[in-house]
Amino acid sequence: MAQKLQRQLSAIKKVMVGTLNKNYVPFPVDKSLCSRWTNDLSHGGETIIYTSFMYQLASLFKSYEKYLPTFSNMGGSSRMASLGKLFIKPKKEDLERSYAILRNISAMLKKAGINHGYLYDDEPYSGGLLLELGMINEFKEYGGKVLQKFKDNGVRRVITVDPHTTNAMERMKKLLNSDIEVVNYLTLIKGLSGNGQFVIHDPCLYTRYLDLGETMRDVLTNAGIKVKEDIMVTSKEYGTCCGGPLGPVDLELSSKIAEDRARKLLSVSDKVLVACPLCYQNLSPYIKNIKDIAEVVS
């Protein structure tokens, strides 16, 4: 088991580090697919919206987890990963959904008076997966390139839209002395409207490390959405993970955790909200009515 895990981590490192250093994306993919959600934002600027491809490529994270044992058995070479580009692609409906979410986030920022640009095809992935898999040296080396890319484009402030990128950028402050301001979009948006009644699945990074759990609830309740709570399911103390972080090393266990988490959420409400594209990917096979926060407020 330990040897199998080590082979898979080695394969991930070979494939991802090579792809990141070559194209600043975590997987071999047509990068232009990720920037097609907008064409009316200025390129760059001191303040940018930073997607880090998380919404656009979330479904690919799950697809590559499925094929990791195959890549591992083949040695995890970049050549094998390049072959993956031919048959592992984001679905059109997944891309269209991600584009709609990002357009709404951008619109909500504008509504709050936050002017922002976007780096389009110059945008780099944050390297968050390296950090979360404990590849700290690789994260620090790649993170230095990310920060340099921001500086080359005159960026001084990034508005993040997901927990993994927010956490990665915050860690760059400590590990690489980054002076780029990091702010999550949930802390900026205001004057919104929405309706309905939902139970929230809190992303672990938002509630346990970034202190954004109450911010999510404030956004929703101020917009007119009723949040259903159960201390044993949705509290910071008793709420549990969606299983996503385990996917790259044990897909079967990750799926069991996701199914269990879905069952508990559905005991509170049949309508579930998430605030992370990877939580959505993990839980959506088990929950019919599941949406992202940026799909219910505007």
Side-chain angles (χ1 to χ4, degrees), residues 165-215:
T165 305
T166 308
N167 183 57
M169 292 302 298
E170 289 291 350
R171 290 296 299 276
M172 283 185 200
K173 288 183 179 179
K174 297 175 182 176
L175 294 173
L176 299 168
N177 296 318
S178 167
D179 59 358
I180 291 179
E181 183 183 356
V182 181
V183 58
N184 186 277
Y185 87 98
L186 291 168
T187 66
L188 298 173
I189 55 179
K190 56 187 178 183
L192 307 174
S193 60
N195 59 69
Q197 180 173 274
F198 298 87
V199 59
I200 300 176
H201 167 74
D202 293 86
C204 295
L205 289 172
Y206 274 171
T207 53
R208 292 185 170 83
Y209 300 99
L210 299 168
D211 199 25
L212 289 174
E214 289 307 312
T215 300

Side-chain angles (χ1 to χ4, degrees), residues 66-196:
K66 181 179 177 182
Y67 289 105
L68 262 175
T70 303
F71 289 137
S72 176
N73 291 335
M74 292 179 172
S77 71
S78 296
R79 186 164 177 264
M80 288 296 114
S82 296
L83 291 176
K85 184 178 179 180
L86 300 176
F87 60 89
I88 302 177
K89 303 174 183 177
K91 296 177 182 176
K92 183 178 179 180
E93 57 266 33
D94 290 336
L95 281 173
E96 292 296 333
R97 176 178 173 271
S98 75
Y99 294 168
I101 288 172
L102 293 173
R103 287 188 193 111
N104 189 37
I105 291 174
S106 181
M108 289 191 287
L109 290 170
K110 289 178 181 176
K111 186 175 184 178
I114 310 296
N115 294 320
H116 55 279
Y118 177 50
L119 290 184
Y120 293 87
D121 291 352
D122 285 330
E123 184 181 69
Y125 173 61
S126 70
L129 190 54
L130 294 173
L131 175 68
E132 290 164 23
L133 289 175
M135 301 174 187
I136 302 301
N137 289 334
E138 288 78 7
F139 174 72
K140 289 167 68 174
E141 182 178 354
Y142 174 71
K145 296 179 181 179
V146 171
L147 295 176
Q148 187 60 51
K149 201 166 188 61
F150 284 142
K151 289 181 179 177
D152 289 346
N153 283 278
V155 176
R156 302 183 60 143
R157 183 193 198 202
V158 295
I159 301 173
T160 55
V161 299
D162 72 279
H164 298 272
T165 305
T166 308
N167 183 57
M169 292 302 298
E170 289 291 350
R171 290 296 299 276
M172 283 185 200
K173 288 183 179 179
K174 297 175 182 176
L175 294 173
L176 299 168
N177 296 318
S178 167
D179 59 358
I180 291 179
E181 183 183 356
V182 181
V183 58
N184 186 277
Y185 87 98
L186 291 168
T187 66
L188 298 173
I189 55 179
K190 56 187 178 183
L192 307 174
S193 60
N195 59 69

Side-chain angles (χ1 to χ4, degrees), residues 5 9-10 27 36 41 56 72 95 115 117 134 147 149 163 172 182 203 211 237-238 262:
L5 176 60
L9 287 174
S10 177
F27 314 112
R36 292 180 185 174
L41 294 176
Q56 302 95 313
S72 176
L95 281 173
N115 294 320
L147 295 176
K149 201 166 188 61
M172 283 185 200
V182 181
D211 199 25
E237 291 75 17
Y238 296 109

